[in-house]
Each structure stands twice: as structure tokens, then as C-alpha cells.
Amino acid sequence: MMKTPAIAFNTFREAIRNKVLYSLLFFAVLVIVSALAFGALSVHEEVRLTMDLGFAGMSAFLVLIATFLGVNLVYKELERKTVYVLIPKPIHRYQFVLGKFLGLALTLIVLLALMSGVLLAVLWLQGAALEPALAMLITLILIEVLVVTAVAVFFSSFSTPLLSGLFTVGVFLLGRSVPDIRAVADKLDQPMLPLLLRGVARVVPNLRHFYVTGAEVDGQHVAISGAFVDWGYVGLAGGYAAIYLVVVLLLAMALFSRRDLI
């Protein structure tokens, strides 16, 4: 019963030792320097620029960390041969995969909390109002990062880190472009290519549900410094992500269970 949490905790400790905190330090310095630089160059727009740059940078950083750590989860265990010590023990392989995902998810939650604290502190120092929209945006960033993490764990369950990284980045780019892919498919007259594009748009996660800044939601332009989505939208996006997470992790567990580790 406690095997999965134990694997998750060990994964969290390994991730923290992986010098990932240096990225946090880099992010904090980047946000502060960017805020000060753009604040000096802009007039009455320093808060908006800090929000846009800060949250976009935070999202990109966390996706990169999730991809890097996620694609190496299983590979490092195989390289160090520690997985050969764990598998003969009374531990199901699905517990191993689930524990790895939960440990990485915990790492990303801690990093997101620390990065958000740095960014909100900078905004507060600039005199910005810390409105509920900021909490909604941070929640959407977390949901998107967890989906990307699940995708990285899925590919790492059967592929090498290099290929897993390329596949994960590809899914991320396609996921952010799902509305554009569907729009292109609707304009094509060929019979097969639109079918292929719609198939891709259906399989990859629609990450635009989580990155709404600058997009149109229900006919309304959404921006963190203007009108934003409500908690109902965040809940629906979370439900969509939960379904995708469960499906992808079940596939990862099934593939890892069939993997020959002898």
C-alpha cells in the first residue's frame, strides 16, 4: 500500500538532487531582471509586461523541466540497474510507473510554488493587484505541466531519452497548435490530409485549453491583464486533463509491464 508513495518520495529526492533548483534560481533572476529592465523602458506598462513575460517564462521552464526529468525517469533506473533490484521484489510494475509520475509531479508542484512566489513578489513590489485570475493562471499552468509530464513518462516507458524527448516536445508543440491544425484541416480540399490532421488533433492533448492568455474563449479575448476565464472553466479544463492523464498513464503502465527487463 505504501510502495507507490515510497517510490514517489525517492523520485522527488532524486529530482531535487538533479540540480534542478539551479533552474529556479535562473528563473528568479530572469524575472527580476526582466521586470526591472522593462519597467525602466516602458511607461505604465511594467506590470502587464512582467505578468506576460513572467508567466510565459514560468510555463516554458516547467515544461522543459518536466520533459527533461520525465524522459530520464525509467532510463536512469535501467542505466544504474536499480530497476533490476526493485522488480524482483513484491512491487507491481504499475506501482513503479505511478510512483515515478507522482514523484515528478510533486517536484514540479514545489517548483511551481516557488516560481509563483518569486513572480508574485515582484508584481507586488511593482504595485500590482494580486487578483484571483493569477491563481487561475497558475492552476492552468500546473495542469498543463502535469499533462506534459504524463506524456514524457509514457514515452520513457518504452523508448530512449533522446527519442522520448523529441516525441514529448513534438506532442507539446502539436498540443499548443490544435486549434490551428483543425483550422487548416477545414480549409483543405484534399480527402486524406484533412483526415490525418483531424486525427492528430484528436489524439494529442489540446494544450490550448490550459494556455488561454491571448486566445479566444467563448468568443471573448482572454488576457491575464484584462478579462480572464472563471473557476468553472478551470474545473472543466482540469476534468479534461484528468481523463487524458489516466489514459496516458494506463498506457505507460501497460507498456512497461510488457517490457523485457531480464
Side-chain angles (χ1 to χ4, degrees), residues 133-204:
L134 299 177
M136 296 178 201
L137 181 55
I138 292 170
T139 303
L140 289 172
I141 290 174
L142 173 61
I143 294 171
E144 182 186 43
V145 169
L146 292 180
V147 171
V148 174
T149 302
V151 172
V153 171
F154 166 73
F155 286 123
S156 72
S157 66
F158 65 89
S159 186
T160 63
L162 177 60
L163 290 178
S164 298
L166 292 174
F167 292 152
T168 303
V169 172
V171 169
F172 171 75
L173 295 175
L174 290 172
R176 282 283 184 93
S177 307
V178 165
D180 302 320
I181 294 173
R182 288 175 177 162
V184 171
D186 291 339
K187 293 180 180 178
L188 292 176
D189 295 329
Q190 302 174 13
M192 293 304 297
L193 189 55
L195 190 64
L196 175 63
L197 292 176
R198 291 192 183 97
V200 170
R202 189 175 293 275
V203 172
V204 301

Side-chain angles (χ1 to χ4, degrees), residues 9-25 64-77 79-80 100 103-104 107-108 111 161:
F9 182 67
N10 284 331
T11 303
F12 172 74
R13 289 197 307 178
E14 290 176 7
I16 293 300
R17 291 172 183 169
N18 200 9
K19 299 181 180 178
V20 73
L21 287 180
Y22 289 116
S23 64
L24 171 64
L25 177 62
L64 285 175
I65 293 171
T67 302
F68 174 75
L69 294 180
V71 300
N72 283 288
L73 275 181
V74 177
Y75 176 77
K76 282 193 173 180
E77 298 290 348
E79 189 181 42
R80 297 171 183 168
K100 286 292 180 184
L104 183 50
T107 305
L108 293 167
L111 287 175

Side-chain angles (χ1 to χ4, degrees), residues 53-148:
L53 290 174
F55 285 112
M58 192 162 67
S59 173
F61 245 77
L62 287 169
V63 166
L64 285 175
I65 293 171
T67 302
F68 174 75
L69 294 180
V71 300
N72 283 288
L73 275 181
V74 177
Y75 176 77
K76 282 193 173 180
E77 298 290 348
L78 293 172
E79 189 181 42
R80 297 171 183 168
K81 301 187 185 304
T82 52
V83 70
Y84 298 101
V85 178
L86 290 173
I87 293 302
K89 294 183 177 180
I91 298 176
H92 296 290
R93 293 195 183 188
Y94 78 85
Q95 292 176 315
F96 179 80
V97 175
L98 183 60
K100 286 292 180 184
F101 170 77
L102 292 176
L104 183 50
L106 178 61
T107 305
L108 293 167
I109 290 172
V110 171
L111 287 175
L112 175 61
L114 293 172
M115 289 180 178
S116 300
V118 172
L119 182 55
L120 293 178
V122 172
L123 290 172
W124 179 74
L125 290 174
Q126 288 182 325
L130 302 183
E131 299 178 349
L134 299 177
M136 296 178 201
L137 181 55
I138 292 170
T139 303
L140 289 172
I141 290 174
L142 173 61
I143 294 171
E144 182 186 43
V145 169
L146 292 180
V147 171
V148 174

